[in-house]
Amino acid sequence: MHHSDSKESNGTPTNSDFTASIVHFDRHMPNANGAVHYPVHPSTQYTYDSVDDLIAVFQGKSKGNSPYSRQGTPTTAVLEAKLASMDNGDGAVAFATGMAAITAIFLTLLKAGDHIVVSQYLFGNTSSLLNTLEDFGIQVSKVDASVVANVSSALLANTKMVFVETVANPGTQVPALKAIGDLCEQKDIVYIVDNTILSAYLFQPKSVKASLVVHSLTKSAAGQGQILGGVVINTGLFDWSNYPNIFDGYRKGDANKWGLMQIRKKGLRDMGATLTSQSAHVISLGLETLALRMQRSSETALKLAQMLQNHPKVASVSYPFLESHSAHQQATDLFKAGSWLFSFELKEEDQCLTFVDKLKVFIKATGLGDTRSLIIPVAHTIYWEMGPTKRKAMKIGDGMLRVSVGLEESQVLIDDLMQALG
Ligand SMILES: *Cc1c(COP(=O)(O)O)cnc(C)c1O
């Protein structure tokens, strides 16, 4: 069951105080020596004033530091609190990568015999992970989630979760976010939203009743192409008391937190894909410029997408804030801007590789959300392994080019695209 009344806000950033609440967050965390920036804690173990305190931590009766860093450190705890507050959630668990966060959700909350419904336009490695889950006896239905009826007609008696991404990479498809949230609430199904591309600054999945939000922190959040990380945020909207896969040991206290507790205990302590303090620190620094970067790169991406759309040599451009996009209305209603991701195809498909080689500013590389603009032909690279049949099903054309817009001045990027188009 879901709670319809929203919980007490724990410092939810509004549009106007988003950055202020991030850059002042450290002041409200316990911190020795008055350091203005929260320090990095490299220690792998932690001690307590008395042996009773040590025992209390092990028995879950005290909220002291985790005794051993595989379950987190003071530095990762501060990052988790910051990320939870940015998404208006009531808790978060950080992981070494986005894929570790997604894997932890599935492996800790699903069992053989369960069924999940997912968007057919998922991040390639998430899609590949789902194939592994099928081998473990979990049923997966992939649907076009832009229409809620496709999701509802895929639901079975054993459906435990619906999993979607806010903006798909590389095709920029947007699922029927709000309608799926209403459906999951009504059917008492866990609703998981991967918000990597947009970040909490452009969209908060809690507003469409997501139960859990996941981010690869490697992309928008850290934003500088230098660190890997992932996070699962609990929105607090889902009541886990009737969810069958929660171990007895975690059926304690507020039932809205049981799912996240199990993700932390099983996902970090047992599976061990833990974020280091050093990485958490770098991600925390990235968050301080998140709003500035997302504003800037979204503005530039829209300009580039519009320019390309009007160019005679371009066949199509996919960007949610273009009027030509099938989810334009929903995207502009729900999202503050369209992010740094867009894709396009040239009319002469066989020219796409030569075009990329002519670019001087855009860097030929995979990766997303860097400070530099990146471009990659997707069918030949990141989607090569899946083969032509699956690429076709995912609407990935042979000439599709994916762009991750960086922080350069827009004119520099426009000039580069124009000279390469000739
Ligand atoms: C990159 C990405 C991931 C995986 O994140 P890593 O940090 O690279 O493991 C998951 N989902 C989406 C939408 C992504 O773009």
Side-chain angles (χ1 to χ4, degrees):
M1 244 191 58
H2 291 249
H3 282 271
S4 52
D5 56 332
S6 68
K7 294 202 146 187
E8 196 57 31
S9 144
N10 56 352
T12 315
T14 61
N15 292 0
S16 59
D17 69 4
F18 186 88
T19 295
S21 66
I22 294 170
V23 297
H24 289 279
F25 199 93
D26 292 354
R27 294 165 63 176
H28 308 295
M29 303 307 285
N31 176 8
N33 305 323
V36 169
H37 288 255
Y38 197 79
V40 183
H41 294 81
S43 189
T44 51
Q45 40 269 335
Y46 292 83
T47 186
Y48 307 90
D49 289 341
S50 69
V51 73
D52 281 345
D53 293 344
L54 173 73
I55 291 167
V57 168
F58 270 86
Q59 295 185 357
K61 291 172 186 153
S62 148
K63 284 194 189 302
N65 292 331
S66 151
Y68 185 61
S69 295
R70 195 177 341 98
Q71 279 191 78
T73 67
T75 319
T76 59
V78 169
L79 175 68
E80 286 170 345
K82 235 177 256 188
L83 291 163
S85 125
M86 287 164 58
D87 253 305
N88 192 17
D90 71 5
V93 181
F95 288 89
T97 65
M99 283 317 302
I102 295 170
T103 303
I105 293 176
F106 291 149
L107 291 191
T108 64
L109 294 175
L110 295 173
K111 283 186 178 164
D114 287 340
H115 172 247
I116 67 171
V117 179
V118 304
S119 162
Q120 71 191 26
Y121 302 115
L122 289 183
F123 179 65
N125 300 135
T126 305
S127 198
S128 163
L129 169 64
L130 292 168
N131 299 340
T132 308
L133 293 185
E134 287 185 303
D135 282 349
F136 287 162
I138 292 161
Q139 274 177 281
V140 181
S141 300
K142 297 184 178 175
V143 303
D144 176 354
S146 65
V147 179
V148 67
N150 296 341
V151 177
S152 61
S153 58
L155 298 181
L156 303 171
N158 56 340
T159 307
K160 297 287 185 301
M161 289 177 180
V162 174
F163 184 101
V164 300
E165 293 170 3
T166 40
V167 177
N169 151 32
T172 77
Q173 292 88 352
V174 179
L177 289 163
K178 201 164 175 301
I180 297 172
D182 291 339
L183 175 72
C184 289
E185 176 182 48
Q186 188 198 336
K187 303 279 184 185
D188 203 12
I189 290 172
V190 180
Y191 182 26
I192 301 159
V193 178
D194 180 337
N195 196 30
T196 296
I197 309 293
L198 292 176
S199 83
Y201 178 66
L202 297 184
F203 176 62
Q204 293 183 340
K206 186 175 180 177
S207 66
V208 295
K209 301 179 179 163
S211 319
L212 298 172
V213 182
V214 52
H215 295 271
S216 162
L217 302 172
T218 315
K219 318 291 173 53
S220 305
Q224 332 232 352
Q226 308 226 1
I227 210 87
L228 296 161
V231 70
V232 181
I233 294 153
N234 186 39
T235 62
L237 294 180
F238 191 79
D239 177 348
W240 298 86
S241 39
N242 295 322
Y243 192 82
N245 301 348
I246 303 289
F247 287 85
D248 285 344
Y250 309 135
R251 293 182 169 273
K252 275 187 231 148
D254 184 353
N256 293 56
K257 295 186 173 172
W258 293 355
L260 194 76
M261 165 74 84
Q262 185 152 306
I263 291 171
R264 180 181 298 282
K265 295 289 187 183
K266 294 273 149 194
L268 283 184
R269 198 194 52 196
D270 299 2
M271 296 171 192
T274 307
L275 187 72
T276 63
S277 286
Q278 290 83 352
S279 293
H281 174 67
V282 176
I283 294 164
S284 273
L285 294 179
L287 295 181
E288 301 192 353
T289 56
L290 176 65
L292 294 173
R293 289 183 287 103
M294 294 309 283
Q295 275 164 8
R296 165 85 160 210
S297 56
S298 298
E299 261 172 44
T300 309
L302 181 59
K303 275 188 204 161
L304 302 190
Q306 284 167 339
M307 183 281 266
L308 287 168
Q309 182 170 249
N310 295 325
H311 196 281
K313 289 192 179 169
V314 174
S316 64
V317 185
S318 303
Y319 188 64
F321 270 54
L322 285 179
E323 275 171 37
S324 56
H325 194 283
S326 58
H328 176 258
Q329 187 63 48
Q330 192 196 186
T332 50
D333 283 350
L334 294 180
F335 312 155
K336 213 175 289 174
S339 94
W340 34 259
L341 173 75
F342 72 86
S343 55
F344 67 105
E345 298 194 46
L346 300 180
K347 281 185 184 153
E348 293 180 60
E349 195 179 282
D350 55 348
Q351 291 298 302
C352 84
L353 302 183
T354 346
F355 167 79
V356 171
D357 262 337
K358 283 188 197 155
L359 290 165
K360 296 190 173 93
V361 180
F362 286 84
I363 297 172
K364 295 174 278 293
T366 188
L368 295 165
D370 202 333
T371 47
R372 297 106 162 107
S373 291
L374 311 175
I375 189 162
I376 191 160
V378 288
H380 310 73
T381 58
I382 44 180
Y383 286 99
W384 181 251
E385 187 185 308
M386 72 170 44
T389 317
K390 282 198 180 163
R391 278 201 295 275
K392 199 158 179 241
M394 286 187 72
K395 296 210 169 77
I396 293 164
D398 287 344
M400 184 186 254
L401 298 172
R402 181 187 79 187
V403 174
S404 169
V405 176
L407 301 179
E408 303 92 339
E409 279 81 23
S410 58
Q411 198 56 48
V412 171
L413 299 173
I414 290 173
D415 291 348
D416 196 30
L417 290 169
M418 290 305 274
Q419 65 80 18
L421 284 163

